[in-house]
Amino acid sequence: MDMSVTFGDDSVAAAAAEAARKLAEEGVPRALADGDATLWGGEAESEAAIRLGWLSLPITSRELLPEIGKLVERVRAESLEHVVLAGMGGSSLAPEVICASADVPLTVLDTTDPGQVRRALADRLDRTVVVVSSKSGSTVETDSHRRIYEKAFRDAGIDPADRIVVVTDPGSPLEQSAIEAGYTVILADPNVGGRYSALTAFGLVPSALAGADVTRLLDDAAQAREQLGADDEPGLLLGTAIGSAAASGRDKLLLDDSLSDINGLPDWIEQLIAESTGKQGRGVLPVAGSEPNEAGDELVAGIDTEGDIEVHAPLGAQFLIWEYATAVAGRLLGINPFDQPNVAESKENTTRILGEAGDGPLPTGTPALVDGPVEVYGDLPPHAKDLSDVLTAVLQDIPDRGYLAILAYLDREAAFDVPVPPEASFETITDIWAAHDPASLQGLLAIRTDRPVTFGWGPRYLHSTGQYHKGGPQNGVFLQITGAVTDDLDVPGKPYTLGRLQLAQALGDLDALRQRGRPAVRLHLTDREAGVRHLLAAAREV
């Protein structure tokens, strides 16, 4: 098995080697492999002490395989072929990568967009099994999905207990309610944080149900584990490269998987590194889906691809290598890589906004500018007369060493609903989809600036880069996109709909950013399809 970290930049290699040498002299590699919770200082010790279980998962998670195997056999015997995963952040990102790389279908619900949830509900409900994954057991998005599917199953004459599988931590509120409801419950290791949970039940259960070979995943991870503690171990080299580069100013980590057989790993790495390092005004900003600008603060990490750092390994090993590297980088940066001190703020703001609004309208404010199907909210320069002017101003606001984050609270699959000619080539179909996809805005704006541009789907990013946005360096500029909801979806037992929750989440995060003085503009699409087309057209005119 090819498992290595190599370097395409001699200066990065030299700095990493020197940092690795110093850590080896301090006994850090072996201590980390053995789970020493004191490595990140006294303030972090109590948190680290209950967050290092990921080091042994390639071995301990094998205990789950018989239980998972029986569950898979039952689901297959009942001809349940549509696997839906309701989970956020660490509960969804790893299974999505595992299944995409194994080329097996998995429907991931990490959204509060009613259109996206309705699409999943309409797909083979009679042959659907739903995995409800939540470490805390109280994640509002996942709780909403569970409630919606429970009602849908009952309305269809299906017992939810036959179709819902719950993955959670021991003792969580979800465990008790799931047992009372008669659901199948599989417990994860409580000593593993969400973003380090790829090889726990959170990663393995939905992936196995979808058809991925999770035993091989653990086998590959086990081979990586055998090297932990060595002075030239891949995770140590990767971590010292990232940490030393960031300390010297190269703190924008561009992730390139263009030549890899692994699909989507940058999205998982994005959460791991952003949420682990983005705090106390420092951190490493991972950038997925964007081309390098050869700027002085960039570091390119290639996954089976050329870069300043090159990581070669199968997926199971990649998980462990990047986790170990993140822990190492955290020590070099002087931060606790296991907490997320600012994540709760947007959640609390959402709850407050919903509570204060009651049955009335949410506090969206008055648009500063309206350009066709797009309303613009925020402080704009006097010369901004249309959407192209707004986008130009946003790009000009990015400071030196800063970045732009595009945050879209929309249906990330809506572009695929656009009709295509029956005889169209794959290239033509791809072009049609791209012309209706909000994510295309990342590329359109990235070529108009030498600063990194990131893209996140809301509220998914709140469980990922959201920590970095608020806890990291004060150099981000934020462009949030929301959209009108024409076909909303009730959340049974709650006083809000999905669409109302989605907008409240957007407004809550916007409040958290603005309270910190982060420049932020919100674009609201009064007609989603027309709004996306208009927005992309405006970006081309910048």
Side-chain angles (χ1 to χ4, degrees):
M1 178 177 69
D2 180 16
M3 187 173 61
S4 63
V5 169
T6 56
F7 298 92
D9 184 314
D10 291 341
S11 65
V12 174
E18 176 62 16
R21 183 188 65 77
K22 290 181 179 179
L23 291 180
E25 289 178 352
E26 298 167 0
V28 171
R30 185 70 265 164
L32 175 53
D34 292 339
D36 185 345
T38 67
L39 294 174
W40 301 274
E43 291 185 6
E45 184 175 351
S46 60
E47 180 80 23
I50 57 171
R51 288 293 178 259
L52 289 167
W54 52 272
L55 289 160
S56 58
L57 289 176
I59 306 303
T60 58
S61 282
R62 292 180 187 278
E63 300 171 3
L64 293 170
L65 294 179
E67 185 178 7
I68 293 174
K70 291 178 181 177
L71 176 61
V72 171
E73 288 179 6
R74 176 176 72 80
V75 167
R76 296 287 182 273
E78 296 175 4
S79 299
L80 303 180
E81 61 183 20
H82 182 212
V83 182
V84 175
L85 170 59
M88 301 298 297
S91 297
S92 63
L93 289 166
E96 193 166 54
V97 175
I98 295 167
C99 293
S101 300
D103 196 23
V104 295
L106 176 69
T107 297
V108 175
L109 290 182
D110 54 1
T111 180
T112 44
D113 188 84
Q116 197 169 328
V117 175
R118 281 189 182 279
R119 186 182 297 102
L121 284 169
D123 185 4
R124 297 165 289 168
L125 184 67
D126 60 327
R127 287 173 285 166
T128 293
V129 58
V130 179
V131 182
V132 176
S133 289
S134 173
K135 182 176 176 64
S136 68
S138 58
T139 308
V140 65
E141 300 93 342
T142 306
D143 177 68
S144 298
H145 300 149
R146 175 185 60 80
R147 292 169 179 270
I148 289 168
Y149 264 97
E150 285 174 340
K151 182 178 186 303
F153 283 138
R154 290 193 184 102
D155 289 349
I158 300 170
D159 185 350
D162 295 333
R163 300 298 187 86
I164 293 179
V165 176
V166 168
V167 180
T168 190
D169 274 4
S172 77
L174 181 57
E175 180 195 9
Q176 187 57 44
S177 64
I179 291 173
E180 293 171 358
Y183 299 154
T184 298
V185 178
I186 298 182
L187 298 177
D189 188 333
N191 294 316
V192 179
R195 57 188 177 273
Y196 291 81
S197 67
L199 299 175
T200 69
F202 289 108
L204 301 182
V205 171
S207 301
L209 286 172
D213 185 349
V214 296
T215 300
R216 180 175 178 179
L217 194 76
L218 292 176
D219 289 344
D220 290 340
Q223 291 193 45
R225 183 180 183 273
E226 290 174 1
Q227 297 189 28
L228 296 185
D231 294 350
D232 59 351
E233 182 269 327
L236 177 66
L237 295 178
L238 179 60
T240 53
I242 293 172
S244 59
S248 68
R250 297 178 70 174
D251 58 356
K252 311 301 188 301
L253 183 67
L254 275 69
L255 302 165
D256 183 2
D257 64 343
S258 57
L259 299 180
S260 179
D261 292 332
I262 300 172
N263 293 322
L265 189 60
D267 288 339
W268 176 81
I269 296 171
E270 185 178 57
Q271 182 201 15
L272 176 68
I273 290 182
E275 199 168 57
S276 296
T277 70
K279 55 199 73 168
Q280 300 173 22
R282 67 191 85 159
V284 177
L285 175 69
V287 183
S290 189
E291 296 292 326
N293 290 307
E294 299 184 0
D297 58 349
E298 290 181 351
L299 183 71
V300 179
I303 300 160
D304 299 323
T305 304
E306 292 184 356
D308 300 319
I309 318 167
E310 301 163 12
V311 186
H312 305 274
L315 181 55
Q318 290 270 5
F319 283 141
L320 198 62
I321 288 169
W322 282 96
E323 288 166 349
Y324 191 91
T326 300
V328 169
R331 178 181 168 93
L332 293 178
L333 293 171
I335 53 90
N336 174 4
F338 305 112
D339 68 349
Q340 48 281 330
N342 305 110
V343 165
E345 294 174 26
S346 295
K347 300 177 184 178
E348 293 167 356
N349 285 348
T350 297
T351 300
R352 172 182 54 78
I353 288 170
L354 287 171
E356 290 177 354
D359 296 331
L362 297 181
T364 56
T366 302
L369 184 152
V370 178
D371 185 348
V374 181
E375 298 175 342
V376 183
Y377 295 81
D379 295 329
L380 303 179
H383 69 268
K385 305 303 180 186
D386 58 23
L387 193 52
S388 291
D389 289 345
V390 172
L391 296 177
T392 299
V394 167
L395 292 173
Q396 291 174 343
D397 275 349
I398 306 174
D400 293 340
R401 303 187 53 78
Y403 67 98
L404 170 64
I406 304 170
L407 313 170
Y409 285 79
L410 300 168
D411 180 348
R412 68 169 168 148
E413 297 177 358
F416 304 125
D417 292 338
V418 176
V420 297
E423 303 301 325
S425 66
F426 177 75
E427 290 77 10
T428 299
I429 293 173
T430 301
D431 289 344
I432 291 172
W433 287 341
H436 294 81
D437 188 352
S440 297
L441 187 62
Q442 180 184 20
L444 290 172
L445 294 184
I447 62 175
R448 289 161 170 81
T449 177
D450 61 357
R451 296 284 77 222
V453 178
T454 67
F455 184 93
W457 293 103
R460 167 180 168 141
Y461 77 84
L462 293 177
H463 301 258
S464 178
T465 53
Q467 167 62 43
Y468 183 94
H469 294 163
K470 291 176 279 290
Q474 182 84 351
N475 59 12
V477 174
F478 301 89
L479 184 65
Q480 187 186 84
I481 309 170
T482 57
V485 173
T486 57
D487 191 11
D488 213 340
L489 192 57
D490 290 333
V491 179
K494 292 294 183 179
Y496 47 75
T497 63
L498 273 188
R500 189 172 177 84
L501 174 60
Q502 181 185 43
L503 181 56
Q505 289 177 311
L507 297 176
D509 193 47
L510 205 60
D511 279 357
L513 293 170
R514 288 174 173 166
Q515 287 165 8
R516 283 179 161 69
R518 264 66 162 169
V521 171
R522 181 170 72 94
L523 307 180
H524 184 70
L525 314 182
T526 54
D527 179 310
R528 290 194 179 201
E529 184 177 344
V532 169
R533 292 199 309 270
H534 190 66
L535 176 58
L536 298 183
R540 294 185 188 97
E541 296 175 1
V542 171

